[in-house]
């Protein structure tokens, strides 16, 4: 089915799912109706009435649409992961193409994609297709091969994966395909690396234009394209093609951008096609659960809402997949509360107000483990 035939408004089956979920044991956050409708308040402690600021008039800021990445639910079957996210009230999912969920190299990819599309429709979930699987192309090289590899055949393997991702995204009516540049290979100068990146992306941008799906490049710490400035370098080198968009990871902004995360959002607004979100500390590329890093989230969410961005804002916790359901359950109330703070006046110390909504990370089996993203 074409993306035009399955618009977000056509996902009408969510209502029956909401009825079923409401009768289930109380989740952390009740499912909402069609995407973009009003959300119910999260359970848990509320701010003290004497200290909570007054709410701004309804409609001051448009609601954001939150998702959770399947790379943080790798121990769940894909159908179980999607059901969990719908039950918790997420608006969508960041679907990483990988062997444990939707294998982009499987011979039955088209048939499996159709089944996933039907499931997303039934649950009323939006989707972004992500391509950050660690070992999907090479069992010995993390994120290898990349678009920068010296071997043209290796680069072609990565471009083929991204071309498959674009086709999957079109079949799922996804709002973007995420990708990244890769690390500069040893012995390769940066000018050569930029040339390889531009040459590799050119046919993919044509495919993205034909599919009507933006290709959203993510600045990734340690990669050739690591910052917003690097994104603009690529954009100018390619002639500012319309299908080229930006994936903005809020944690990465905290990690290494000269601007604050909220200012990064404002600066990136014209090219923003996908957003990933998690906590992080300055100078340390480690994806952290909300409340464990240094980011002040209400200004970030306010900036996102002010841009009119209506794609998914996807929680990105790949290192916490061993306790994915736990962190999925606690991340959404945190984000919803940060949204409410963003709409209130006068300004308050948002880090203190949000602290009581940070996930209880001391629960059994929730200590982070595994390699970084």
């Amino acid at each position: 089915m074409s993306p035009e035939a399955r618009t977000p408004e056509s996902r009408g089956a969510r209502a029956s799912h909401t009825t079923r979920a409401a009768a289930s044991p109380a989740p952390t956050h009740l499912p909402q109706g069609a995407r973009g409708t009003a959300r119910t308040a999260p359970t848990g402690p509320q701010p003290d009435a004497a200290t909570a600021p007054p709410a701004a008039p309804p409609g001051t800021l448009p609601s954001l649409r939150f998702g959770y990445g399947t790379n943080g639910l790798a121990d769940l079957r894909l159908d179980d992961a999607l059901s969990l996210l719908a039950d918790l009230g997420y608006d969508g999912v960041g679907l990483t193409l990988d062997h444990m969920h939707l294998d982009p190299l499987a011979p039955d990819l088209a048939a499996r994609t159709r089944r996933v599309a039907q499931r997303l429709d039934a649950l009323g979930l939006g989707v972004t297709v992500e391509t950050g699987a660690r070992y999907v192309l090479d069992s010995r090289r993390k994120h290898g091969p990349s678009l920068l590899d010296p071997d043209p055949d290796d680069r072609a393997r990565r471009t083929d994966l991204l071309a498959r991702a674009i086709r999957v995204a079109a079949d799922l009516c996804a709002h973007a395909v995420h990708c990244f540049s890769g690390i500069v290979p040893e012995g390769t100068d940066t000018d050569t690396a930029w040339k390889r990146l531009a040459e590799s992306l050119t046919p993919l941008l044509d495919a993205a234009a034909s599919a009507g799906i933006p290709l959203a490049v993510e600045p990734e710490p340690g990669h050739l394209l690591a910052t917003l400035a690097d994104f603009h370098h690529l954009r100018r080198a390619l002639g500012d093609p319309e299908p080229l968009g930006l994936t903005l990871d809020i944690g990465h902004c905290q990690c290494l951008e000269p601007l604050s995360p909220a200012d990064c959002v404002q600066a990136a607004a014209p090219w923003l096609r996908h957003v990933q979100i998690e906590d992080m500390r300055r100078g340390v590329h480690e994806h952290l659960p909300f409340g464990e890093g240094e980011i002040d989230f209400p200004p970030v969410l306010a900036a996102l809402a002010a841009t009119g961005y209506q794609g998914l804002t996807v929680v990105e916790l790949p290192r916490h997949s061993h306790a994915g359901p736990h962190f999925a359950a606690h991340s959404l109330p945190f984000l919803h509360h940060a949204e409410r703070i963003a709409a209130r006046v006068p300004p308050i110390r948002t880090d203190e107000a949000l602290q009581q909504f940070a996930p209880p990370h001391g629960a059994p089996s929730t200590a982070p483990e595994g390699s970084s993203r």
Side-chain angles (χ1 to χ4, degrees):
M1 188 176 294
S2 68
E4 291 79 7
R6 289 197 307 106
T7 61
E9 289 74 17
S10 71
R11 304 182 192 275
R14 184 64 180 273
S16 60
H17 174 77
T18 304
T19 301
R20 174 185 61 77
S24 303
T28 302
H29 198 75
L30 292 176
Q32 58 206 39
R35 296 188 301 173
T37 58
R39 301 181 177 99
T40 56
T43 59
Q46 301 299 311
D48 183 79
T51 59
T60 301
L61 291 174
S63 294
L64 296 171
R65 299 171 57 235
F66 295 115
Y68 200 92
T70 59
N71 61 1
L73 297 168
D75 294 319
L76 275 65
R77 298 178 182 87
L78 180 57
D79 189 68
D80 292 339
L82 298 179
S83 296
L84 171 72
L85 298 181
D87 285 344
L88 292 174
Y90 282 92
D91 299 290
V93 58
L95 176 58
T96 296
L97 301 184
D98 207 348
H99 65 88
M100 80 288 288
H101 286 149
L102 186 58
D103 187 346
L105 304 183
D108 61 344
L109 176 61
R112 293 184 65 198
T113 301
R114 284 194 295 271
R115 291 195 292 271
V116 173
Q118 292 167 358
R119 189 61 178 152
L120 291 169
D121 275 337
L123 297 174
L125 292 173
V127 61
T128 302
V129 172
E130 301 200 351
T131 60
R134 294 185 179 103
Y135 296 101
V136 68
L137 290 178
D138 191 322
S139 62
R140 298 169 187 263
R141 286 192 296 165
K142 181 180 175 182
H143 297 315
S146 79
L147 298 173
L148 311 180
D149 272 33
D151 187 336
D153 291 338
D154 277 348
R155 294 200 299 276
R157 290 172 61 200
R158 177 60 63 173
T159 56
D160 176 68
L161 173 67
L162 294 175
R164 288 168 180 255
I166 292 169
R167 293 195 293 271
V168 168
D171 289 341
L172 296 180
C173 198
H175 73 81
V177 172
H178 149 276
C179 67
F180 49 84
S181 68
I183 297 170
V184 178
E186 185 176 355
T188 298
D189 63 85
T190 55
D191 287 343
T192 298
W194 281 112
K195 181 179 178 181
R196 289 174 185 165
L197 180 60
E199 290 175 349
S200 297
L201 287 178
T202 296
L204 292 170
L205 290 167
D206 292 339
S210 297
I213 305 289
L215 191 65
V217 180
E218 178 188 7
E220 182 80 23
H223 284 208
L224 172 69
L225 199 158
T227 64
L228 288 174
D230 294 331
F231 169 75
H232 290 301
H233 176 83
L234 174 67
R235 182 177 59 81
R236 290 190 294 267
L238 290 170
D240 197 16
E242 195 277 334
L244 180 67
L246 174 70
T247 293
L248 187 69
D249 187 303
I250 301 303
H252 295 173
C253 296
Q254 176 69 24
C255 179
L256 82 172
E257 293 285 355
L259 298 175
S260 72
D263 288 340
C264 285
V265 169
Q266 294 174 348
W271 303 275
L272 205 56
R273 302 295 179 267
H274 182 44
V275 175
Q276 297 170 343
I277 193 165
E278 70 285 314
D279 218 338
M280 202 168 287
R281 301 186 184 99
R282 184 70 179 169
V284 182
H285 184 203
E286 182 181 3
H287 291 233
L288 299 173
F290 299 118
E292 291 193 3
E294 302 168 342
I295 298 175
D296 188 16
F297 285 97
V300 174
L301 299 186
L304 267 178
T307 69
Y309 173 73
Q310 281 296 291
L312 291 174
T313 298
V314 173
V315 179
E316 186 82 357
L317 290 174
R319 291 190 64 186
H320 296 75
S321 190
H322 62 286
H326 168 86
F327 288 105
H330 288 90
S331 295
L332 191 58
F334 182 94
L335 290 169
H336 283 170
H337 189 63
E339 265 195 310
R340 291 196 298 276
I341 291 176
R344 291 172 176 173
V345 292
I348 62 170
R349 285 292 303 277
T350 55
D351 53 344
E352 294 177 1
L354 274 174
Q355 191 58 46
Q356 61 186 307
F357 282 86
H361 304 308
S365 302
T366 60
E369 61 185 25
S371 61
S372 62
R373 184 180 171 197

